[in-house]
Amino acid sequence: MKYKLNLLICLLCVSTFATAQITIKAPQLAGEQVLLAYHYFGQIYVKDSLDLDKKGKGVFTPKDKFDEGLYAICVNRAPVAEVLLGGSQNITVKLDTTDHYKNIVVEGAQESVDFNGYAHFMRELQQTSAEKNKLIEGLEDSVEIGKIKAELKLLGATMTDRQNALIKKYPESMCGIFIKGLQSPEFQKPEGYDALSDSMKWVLQYNFQKEHYFDNMNLADERTFHTPYIKQSMDTYMDKVLVQYYDSIISAALSLIEKSRKGTEQTFRVVCNYMLQWGVKSNIMGMDRMLVELGRNYYLNGTATWADSTLKSNIGKEIKKIEHSLVGDKAHNIELCGLDGKYRSIYDLGGTQYTVLFFFEPQCGHCKQTAPKVSEFYEQYKDDPRFNIIAVYMLTDKEEWTKFIEEKKMENMINVWDPERTSFYWYWFDTSSTPMIYVLDKDHTIFAKKIDVDTLKLIAEHELK
């Protein structure tokens, strides 16, 4: 019986020791409510809460373990300290309200202790760097400036050494993952680099950044998304690192999604949804192709298992609306009827270099404003065979159509309509909003779409030199 009792006590002790818990000690916050919040892809979410006792003590104890990552301790819903939780999660956090971040003490799990030491080190280093940079602003002596810059460089090297030491100590743990993600992959100059032109240097550096920007952030590891910087890194990559051209952006987006698929469904879901939302919100011409690519590759075929029927239906409807009129694809050669009653194809009616399709409805307010601007702009190109504007009336009231042409002085353009609705122009061209302007190149490829007259002017001025 004694043996069994001792064994039970030992098992209970082991179980208690293995259970994750975060003990808070903050005498100055006695009786206050404290929140434990976690970082997740650019947001902070409350995980747990507790009321400190009269001595300012309390313990966060999950049923199993907390997800590994960076956590914020909040008072009055404001973060007052941050701690890193790795594999071992038995820690004590001592807070001092005179300066929470400066005076925070972490005891227990060594990984959490080491990260707290690193955080203190970084705050001191940043303060020192700021002071030295401020000194430079007031100096004119180049020797003194050079001396301070050398000191700043040394501080940078010290930071890198500290980071590398922790990455080496915790190569597969949260601390190593967190700190490694802060380091930017270093561009290695190839042989003969210095002799290259500036444009070639830029191309090499750009390609390196595009391919290696996320080398130190594992998108297949859920712990990466529990850092405060991953969302900002994604935004920077999409908005600033990549050339803002649809083809370059979409290929990079698909590459990142595929990297996330190597992890869990959650990593895949986060990155895939992020790219979908980014593409939908983007104002970059041609980015509607992102929706088509993601929809076909992931959402509509069931790969995105989290997508419900409503989301899939909405994506499917949007794709059906735009899939035949994407920038970079060849426009369908529809036939339309002119004022003379004869049907001709847009290929035959277009210019030798560029063809503009101007879809309009007379009762549309924006169409009423845009039509005369298009006509006025076209005056300087109406005799240039390289450039033609085809004005497409979208309804079937001939009297309304001819009256609008006369009122808006659109006689200089090629005016057509589809009285018998045989061209299915609405299927081949997205005309869900009006006015809608498309520009086709000499090969009848869609060069631009959904543009205004000012953009049309810029295209003409740049392309028809």
Side-chain angles (χ1 to χ4, degrees):
M1 174 66 74
K2 184 177 181 181
Y3 171 77
K4 291 183 178 179
L5 180 61
N6 288 339
L7 178 60
L8 178 61
I9 292 172
C10 289
L11 289 173
L12 288 172
C13 289
V14 170
S15 176
T16 300
F17 180 77
T19 301
Q21 62 180 36
I22 303 173
T23 302
I24 305 296
K25 292 183 177 180
Q28 295 155 310
L29 297 174
E32 293 280 357
Q33 184 184 63
V34 175
L35 304 178
L36 182 67
Y38 62 97
H39 289 270
Y40 197 83
F41 202 57
Q43 300 292 327
I44 297 180
Y45 302 92
V46 174
K47 181 69 174 179
D48 202 353
S49 66
L50 60 80
D51 294 322
L52 299 180
D53 63 21
K54 61 183 180 181
K55 292 184 179 180
K57 181 180 178 181
V59 181
F60 290 107
T61 306
K63 291 181 179 179
D64 184 14
K65 287 182 67 175
F66 294 109
D67 291 329
E68 295 184 36
L70 189 69
Y71 284 75
I73 298 170
C74 308
V75 177
N76 295 324
R77 304 197 71 85
V80 297
E82 289 186 320
V83 294
L84 182 129
L85 295 181
S88 178
Q89 298 182 355
N90 284 277
I91 64 172
T92 297
V93 181
K94 297 179 179 179
L95 300 176
D96 181 347
T97 57
T98 57
D99 190 333
H100 291 291
Y101 281 96
K102 182 178 180 181
N103 298 328
I104 179 177
V105 175
V106 177
E107 298 173 345
Q110 192 60 46
E111 185 177 358
S112 298
V113 172
D114 287 347
F115 184 85
N116 186 56
Y118 167 76
H120 282 308
F121 161 78
M122 284 300 299
R123 278 190 287 273
E124 292 174 359
L125 186 144
Q126 288 167 357
Q127 183 178 346
T128 303
S129 297
E131 291 170 354
K132 291 186 179 297
N133 279 310
K134 192 171 183 180
L135 281 176
I136 291 177
E137 293 176 5
L139 291 176
E140 295 183 1
D141 188 327
S142 60
V143 175
E144 283 297 316
I145 292 174
K147 181 180 177 181
I148 295 175
K149 285 186 175 180
E151 292 172 353
L152 286 169
K153 186 175 181 180
L154 183 60
L155 287 175
T158 303
M159 177 191 71
T160 301
D161 289 343
R162 181 71 173 263
Q163 290 178 334
N164 289 339
L166 286 172
I167 292 171
K168 184 177 181 180
K169 185 175 182 180
Y170 301 104
E172 303 298 330
S173 300
M174 188 64 218
C175 183
I177 288 169
F178 186 102
I179 295 174
K180 187 176 181 180
L182 295 170
Q183 296 183 330
S184 299
E186 187 176 352
F187 174 69
Q188 300 293 330
K189 295 181 180 179
E191 186 177 349
Y193 176 83
D194 293 334
L196 296 174
S197 64
D198 289 342
S199 59
M200 282 302 300
K201 289 179 180 177
W202 181 89
V203 169
L204 288 174
Q205 292 173 4
Y206 169 74
N207 286 335
F208 177 84
Q209 281 282 83
K210 180 181 178 182
E211 298 299 325
H212 299 282
Y213 186 82
F214 286 97
D215 279 4
N216 292 334
M217 287 177 266
N218 186 358
L219 299 181
D221 192 326
E222 284 192 46
R223 294 175 294 180
T224 298
F225 298 91
H226 285 274
T227 64
Y229 55 77
I230 179 62
K231 171 63 163 55
Q232 184 179 354
S233 297
M234 295 280 280
D235 290 343
T236 299
Y237 181 71
M238 298 296 289
D239 296 333
K240 298 179 180 179
V241 172
L242 296 176
V243 171
Q244 298 298 284
Y245 179 65
Y246 73 92
D247 200 31
S248 178
I249 291 174
I250 293 172
S251 65
L254 291 173
S255 176
L256 293 185
I257 290 173
E258 288 304 308
K259 287 180 180 180
S260 74
R261 286 187 70 183
K262 296 177 182 178
T264 64
E265 181 181 277
Q266 182 62 11
T267 62
F268 174 35
R269 177 177 183 170
V270 170
V271 178
C272 198
N273 282 348
Y274 170 86
M275 292 303 175
L276 179 66
Q277 293 172 16
W278 194 96
V280 169
K281 293 178 181 178
S282 176
N283 292 321
I284 298 170
M285 189 185 302
M287 279 308 300
D288 48 1
R289 185 182 291 274
M290 174 90 93
L291 176 67
V292 176
E293 293 286 348
L294 298 187
R296 290 174 175 170
N297 290 338
Y298 305 113
Y299 290 91
L300 300 185
N301 62 7
T303 303
T305 55
W306 61 87
D308 60 23
S309 58
T310 300
L311 176 59
K312 289 191 284 189
S313 175
N314 290 338
I315 291 174
K317 289 176 182 177
E318 189 65 22
I319 289 176
K320 188 175 182 180
K321 184 174 71 176
I322 65 176
E323 63 182 339
H324 299 296
S325 56
L326 298 173
V327 173
D329 287 354
K330 194 164 186 175
H332 188 73
N333 190 22
I334 59 175
E335 291 191 347
L336 296 166
C337 181
L339 286 165
D340 58 5
K342 295 180 180 179
Y343 281 81
R344 285 173 288 179
S345 73
I346 59 171
Y347 285 10
D348 292 337
L349 293 172
T352 58
Q353 281 189 230
Y354 288 96
T355 301
V356 176
L357 298 175
F358 171 48
F359 292 92
F360 70 92
E361 293 180 355
Q363 299 305 315
C364 158
H366 286 142
C367 296
K368 292 176 182 178
Q369 296 174 357
T370 303
K373 294 179 181 178
V374 173
S375 179
E376 181 182 355
F377 153 73
Y378 188 53
E379 272 299 307
Q380 61 182 308
Y381 296 103
K382 65 180 182 180
D383 297 321
D384 189 335
R386 298 176 299 168
F387 194 86
N388 270 347
I389 294 183
I390 303 172
V392 184
Y393 171 59
M394 297 169 60
L395 303 178
T396 57
D397 186 335
K398 187 171 185 179
E399 183 178 350
E400 178 189 56
W401 175 39
T402 54
K403 182 179 178 181
F404 190 80
I405 292 173
E406 182 179 354
E407 287 179 352
K408 304 303 178 183
K409 304 185 186 308
M410 296 169 59
E411 296 88 348
N412 57 354
M413 291 182 275
I414 299 171
N415 287 282
V416 294
W417 66 328
D418 185 10
E420 303 300 326
R421 320 307 275 171
T422 55
S423 71
F424 296 96
Y425 69 81
W426 56 90
Y427 175 81
W428 298 109
F429 294 91
D430 174 19
T431 55
S432 55
S433 62
T434 53
M436 182 68 73
I437 298 177
Y438 285 84
V439 179
L440 315 183
D441 67 13
K442 61 182 178 61
D443 298 316
H444 309 114
T445 297
I446 299 174
F447 179 80
K449 63 185 287 189
K450 291 187 178 180
I451 60 173
D452 55 20
V453 178
D454 288 337
T455 304
L456 186 58
K457 290 178 182 178
L458 290 174
I459 291 174
E461 290 170 2
H462 183 268
E463 299 295 329
L464 299 178
K465 294 180 179 178

